[in-house]
Amino acid sequence: DLILGQCGRRVKAAPFNVLEYYDKSLLENQMTPAHRELLKRMTYLYAEIQLCDRCNLNCAYCSHFAPAAMPYTISMETLAAECQRLRHLNLHEIKLLGGEPLMHPRLAEAIRLVRSILPDTKITIATNGQLLGRMKSQFWQACRECDVTILSTPYPNMSAWKYYLTFLLVRKNRVHLKKYEFLQEFRHQLLSQHPRTTDIRQIASSYLSCMIHCTQVRDATLWPCAYVAYAFPLNERFGTSFKTIPADILPLNDDLASTDVRLWLFRAKPFCSHCGFLSAKKVKWH
């Protein structure tokens, strides 16, 4: 109702899956950037699964807190269970990442497992690309046969020449590659242990302003972003006191439908009160 009402007249809310078949350009021309992001969230169902917490880099401001996380590698049994819970949601895309996903010891098997359970879902592997040259033939074969897209985000410690060789390597193995420009900056986003505000309007403003589209899958639960899903290792490492309430998360149960996920994505989350997105700054990568 909020989105459709932007067209200039109040209308009765339609089922959210109707937006998949609606001419979105008619809406987008009359929307703020925040409302366009909400429309994107509800019409393109997307989720991420973290294969491991480990990483070959030690980036400051890592949104998954990999430098501070305890060692973790997802098992094939857990991965299969998580994908089975997602099967009836008709996801458009599932992204496998970390940490650094190429460090998972059974990555080729993991790719085939995800494809077998989610046959019609786009599979993307997000990597910094620096380990691609070490990957064995089984990995490349699994990527080809399972129609995987590699999303490579180069950091400044990789030379342009080395990245070009990586690009040629992926093409040589006949795998889809989505290129990114060199990531020169990270977002310096402070999380407060205690809520910054209890005003629902300010919380909603923070949520609407957030352009992060990264629903996480972990522990049979959907989390709205990596900051919520992976803040808790900070409690063990640094003695912080981050916690969630039921309104922050969405349990993955057999009764959950894609419309439920869209409605959940539409709502601001109480954990947003801990986030400093509105005051975030760009800092040079290091």
Side-chain angles (χ1 to χ4, degrees):
D1 188 56
L2 174 62
I3 287 183
L4 299 181
Q6 300 301 311
C7 294
R9 59 187 180 88
R10 206 64 178 172
V11 295
K12 186 177 180 180
F16 278 83
N17 58 0
V18 170
L19 292 176
E20 293 185 21
Y21 311 102
Y22 194 82
D23 185 354
K24 292 189 290 183
S25 62
L26 298 177
L27 291 173
E28 291 172 348
N29 292 335
Q30 304 181 56
M31 286 181 173
T32 65
H35 285 109
R36 292 192 192 103
E37 177 63 20
L38 278 176
L39 182 62
K40 173 185 174 183
R41 293 179 191 183
M42 292 186 295
T43 56
Y44 190 81
L45 286 186
Y46 162 93
E48 298 179 354
I49 295 180
Q50 189 178 47
L51 297 185
C52 59
D53 285 335
R54 295 178 299 153
C55 187
N56 57 315
L57 298 181
N58 194 38
C59 302
Y61 311 114
C62 173
S63 63
H64 285 240
F65 308 112
M70 299 298 291
Y72 166 79
T73 300
I74 196 169
S75 67
M76 293 298 103
E77 294 75 18
T78 300
L79 180 60
E82 300 285 27
C83 290
Q84 288 287 358
R85 297 184 184 101
L86 297 171
R87 188 171 187 174
H88 62 287
L89 296 181
N90 299 316
L91 291 180
H92 295 87
E93 180 179 356
I94 188 78
K95 182 181 288 185
L96 308 177
L97 73 175
E100 174 49 58
L102 300 189
M103 296 182 70
H104 195 287
R106 300 169 67 182
L107 182 55
E109 183 180 348
I111 292 171
R112 295 184 183 280
L113 177 61
V114 174
R115 175 54 74 209
S116 67
I117 300 174
L118 302 172
D120 301 318
T121 301
K122 178 181 179 181
I123 299 176
T124 302
I125 295 178
T127 171
N128 58 50
Q130 303 195 27
L131 301 179
L132 284 170
R134 305 180 188 179
M135 303 308 290
K136 297 181 179 180
S137 59
Q138 295 92 327
F139 165 76
W140 297 110
Q141 184 176 357
C143 287
R144 283 194 302 272
E145 295 178 356
C146 298
D147 194 24
V148 169
T149 297
I150 293 178
L151 172 61
S152 180
T153 307
Y155 294 92
N157 66 329
M158 176 186 279
S159 67
W161 174 246
K162 185 175 181 181
Y163 183 58
Y164 177 67
L165 293 179
T166 299
F167 169 76
L168 293 180
L169 174 65
V170 177
R171 288 298 177 89
K172 176 183 177 182
N173 283 280
R174 305 190 306 282
V175 174
H176 304 297
L177 175 67
K178 183 176 181 180
K179 295 185 293 181
Y180 260 43
E181 299 296 328
F182 274 80
L183 188 63
Q184 302 291 345
E185 296 178 320
F186 265 20
R187 184 177 54 252
H188 182 196
Q189 184 167 324
L190 295 177
L191 292 180
S192 171
Q193 290 191 64
H194 306 288
R196 298 171 184 269
T197 179
T198 57
D199 188 335
I200 187 62
R201 291 171 297 181
Q202 294 183 28
I203 296 173
S205 177
S206 178
Y207 184 70
L208 282 172
S209 301
C210 180
M211 296 301 173
I212 300 174
H213 184 56
C214 55
T215 304
Q216 305 293 312
V217 181
R218 190 165 191 170
D219 301 329
T221 303
L222 290 181
W223 308 75
C225 72
Y227 290 105
V228 186
Y230 306 113
F232 307 105
L234 302 181
N235 294 343
E236 301 176 6
R237 181 72 178 270
F238 301 111
T240 52
S241 55
F242 291 109
K243 61 182 179 180
T244 60
I245 63 175
D248 288 312
I249 60 179
L250 186 65
L252 285 170
N253 53 54
D254 294 337
D255 299 328
L256 190 67
S258 59
T259 301
D260 299 320
V261 178
R262 290 185 169 94
L263 288 170
W264 175 73
L265 289 171
F266 183 74
R267 303 185 188 104
K269 309 299 183 290
F271 195 91
C272 296
S273 63
H274 295 271
C275 184
F277 187 88
L278 295 176
S279 59
K281 299 179 180 178
K282 293 289 187 178
V283 295
K284 192 172 182 178
W285 178 88
H286 63 282

